[in-house]
Amino acid sequence: MGTHLTSDVSADGIATLTWNCPGKTPNVFNDASLAEFFAAIQDTLGNPAVKGILIASAKADFIVGADLTMLLAAKHQTKAQFFDGVLRLQKAFRQLETGGKPVVAAINGTAVGGGFELAMACHARVVADDPALRVGLPECSLGLLPGAGGTQRMPRLIGAREAVGLITQGKTISAKKALELGLITEIVSRDKLLERANQLVRTIEAVQPWDKKGFRIPGGEVHSPAGAETFVGANAMMTRETWGNYLAPRLATYAIYHGLQLPIDAGCLVETRGFVELVFNPLSQNMVRTLYFSMNDAKRLKRRPKGIPTAEYRRIGVLGAGLMGHGIAHAAATNGIAVTLLDVDLAAATKGKERIGAILADAVKKGRMTETDAQAALDRVIPTASFDDLKDAELIVEAVFETRELKYDVTKKTEAVIAPSVIFGSNTSTLPIGGLAEASRRPDQFIGLHFFSPVEKMPLVEVILGVKTSEATLAKSLDFVKAIGKTPIVVHDGRAFFTSRVFGTYLVEGIAMLAEGVHPALIDNAGRLAGMPMGSLTVADMVNLDLSHRIRLQTKADLGDKYRVHPADDVVDLMVSHGRIGQKARAGFFDYAEDGTKRLWPDLTKHYPPATDQSSLETVKRRLLHIQAIETLRCLEEGVLTRPEDADVGSILGWGFCPFYGGVASYIDYVGAKRLEAECDDLADKHGERYRPPALLRNLARDGATLYPA
């Protein structure tokens, strides 16, 4: 009897190994659980009374793979030591499948990563009929690759074509899809799971397909026409999607390609080498830290003040039914919260509800919702033009036009009718919360709730604390963000806060380079090659230049003599004066055709002739990323940000900053303070003081320190 694994042998010789890791919500592979598992394999395979083995879970899920803290701690070992540890797991799985005794996995809940690799090492996999259950190998999405035989067993089960896509994209799939592909053996009702697994273990053959003489890879060998098509296509698609910035998919494809040409034991060695290489790669460690640990901490509301009862919401009010307002209403309604959706008149509010209906209809069409659930969500949205209808709201989210006077007006009208305990959240993206709270009679209950467009797709909410915002208001606001399925970061007040402020530097730096004579095609492509989801000129068109123009005018009016003129300002003014305000007008830096294609505005290079001595690609990439790094450091120095984790989560979820670096704070540490300081001083001398390092960076460089503890 172990603490992580129990073994029970039936009268007719079926050994049931049940995973139940103590102190963990899911079962995981760690030093303790694996030691017990290795011992259990030896005991059961060496016991002549055992005729078959059943692997099960006592928790809601099956096994979710390696405890990632163990992987982050690998840097304290040598590569050789870690390699030997991984090899021991590989050999244990091979012992299990070649031990001469049938092994069946009874998968009662989600089985991913190493958990599904173990399941594939079993001779059969029976899965509970549960639409929420997922199986697969998500390691590449965290900068790793499967390290327990996944790159070798999955393509041997279903063929390279399907396996390469699932593995390199880190996809998890439903049991139904897994059955269609041939990854699992059967789906049965949950109450019949163990019964059916026990039946199978008594009847199946105790040998894997790849250990049989004459085995061939399903769908064609690597060097068959189908195999050549698979790997040529996979590499082309990978380059198109990742621009060569992600190592894990490339090494996973390498392991599949070369491993399938070898016996499986040799193929597992190829995989292990790639896995160890990634575990010791600092970029992979950054991705694990941000995309797993920091992201989960944010979702679990680690920043939530303690000792405040959890708030539950039945009805909220949303002010403004436009792009952001109806998106916020949709997020609440699809998570069971009724919404009073207010706009200037009933027609405008109703139009907002109709847009929600269109989003829901699309979800039904794509199989993401049932018609019943979609209709129920739509019924929760009540359009209105009367502030009196907000009286029952338990929280307000203001999403009106980005002008201070309008926001003041709706704040006062709303507070006149809502209960004294109700929190007022503003969806402003740039206006300081402290200034907006001046219109409130209860500034302690005023907070920023900055959503991102399109709200139905974007997972982040930037929660902004005003000087007078109370801890109770923060706690209850975080409860709301979690209730609608979003991920929050918490920042302090300041113009444009963190996300809009730093993301804005990427946008305007591209425009500034255009004014300097850098070719617009180079600017936009360099952004993509650097790891951003879109080029800065494309982003400027999507945001729309008239909005950028209005925000700048408001900022200039607010700051007066303190406003710092940016070299992008004149370019934006010229574009707006020509009516080229962006994608919505089908005319910005690009011309947009009816079929969705775009091309650079031909006259752009007439207004801004490209210089004869063009900047190098690496220089443009460096400028676009370094300017975001510098502004992030200023946010940390000024206290807008208090933790590098918030910078990383916010930059990845908010505007897609280079996930392979682990986010913008991790990028700063990866480049290194001394190098970043020197390069930014050089850029400041050449292109302007906006690049000049703040004191925080100089201190980090002087002390040889990093934002994250070493």
Side-chain angles (χ1 to χ4, degrees), residues 8 96 138 346 352 407 443 448 478 557 572 620:
D8 178 65
L96 192 67
L346 186 57
K407 290 180 183 290
L478 290 173
V572 174
V620 178

Side-chain angles (χ1 to χ4, degrees), residues 314-318 320-321 325-343 346 348-360 373-384 389:
R314 296 178 299 276
R315 178 177 293 279
I316 68 164
V318 175
H326 80 254
I328 296 165
H330 167 271
T334 52
N335 283 280
I337 300 172
V339 183
T340 302
L341 182 61
L342 182 142
D343 213 308
L346 186 57
T350 302
K351 187 175 181 180
K353 181 172 180 175
E354 290 170 354
R355 289 173 180 150
I356 294 170
I359 297 170
L360 293 169
D373 288 343
Q375 188 60 51
L378 190 60
D379 290 343
R380 293 187 189 105
V381 180
I382 308 300
T384 186
D389 291 335

Side-chain angles (χ1 to χ4, degrees), residues 327-505:
I328 296 165
H330 167 271
T334 52
N335 283 280
I337 300 172
V339 183
T340 302
L341 182 61
L342 182 142
D343 213 308
V344 291
D345 54 43
L346 186 57
T350 302
K351 187 175 181 180
K353 181 172 180 175
E354 290 170 354
R355 289 173 180 150
I356 294 170
I359 297 170
L360 293 169
D362 185 60
V364 171
K365 182 180 178 181
K366 293 177 178 176
R368 296 172 183 161
M369 290 185 80
T370 65
E371 287 190 16
T372 300
D373 288 343
Q375 188 60 51
L378 190 60
D379 290 343
R380 293 187 189 105
V381 180
I382 308 300
T384 186
S386 173
F387 282 87
D388 289 339
D389 291 335
L390 298 170
K391 62 181 182 298
D392 295 327
E394 297 160 328
L395 177 139
I396 298 293
V397 182
E398 168 269 302
V400 301
F401 199 66
E402 194 80 344
T403 63
R404 183 174 288 103
E405 293 74 21
L406 178 58
K407 290 180 183 290
Y408 278 5
D409 182 58
V410 298
T411 299
K412 292 174 180 177
K413 289 178 178 176
T414 301
E415 287 189 352
V417 298
I418 58 175
S421 60
V422 173
I423 292 167
F424 192 102
S426 174
N427 178 56
T428 180
S429 59
T430 57
L431 299 175
I433 292 301
L436 295 179
E438 291 174 1
S440 174
R441 292 179 293 181
R442 39 197 179 187
D444 59 316
Q445 292 167 221
F446 199 100
I447 195 166
L449 295 175
H450 178 204
F451 289 79
F452 294 76
S453 179
V455 179
E456 66 271 15
K457 294 180 180 178
M458 298 294 283
L460 184 70
V461 177
E462 186 178 27
V463 180
I464 307 121
L465 299 175
V467 174
K468 297 182 179 180
T469 304
S470 70
E471 286 204 336
T473 297
L474 171 60
K476 293 174 183 178
S477 298
L478 290 173
D479 293 338
F480 169 66
V481 173
K482 183 177 181 179
I484 61 172
K486 301 295 184 183
T487 301
I489 60 167
V490 179
V491 305
H492 289 265
D493 202 5
R495 183 166 295 277
F497 323 119
F498 164 62
T499 54
S500 296
R501 175 174 169 179
V502 177
F503 175 53
T505 64

Side-chain angles (χ1 to χ4, degrees), residues 292-309:
Y292 184 79
F293 290 105
S294 297
M295 207 72 75
N296 283 332
D297 283 347
K299 291 175 181 176
R300 293 168 185 161
L301 307 188
K302 188 175 181 179
R303 295 286 308 274
R304 188 185 190 277
K306 303 292 188 288
I308 297 168

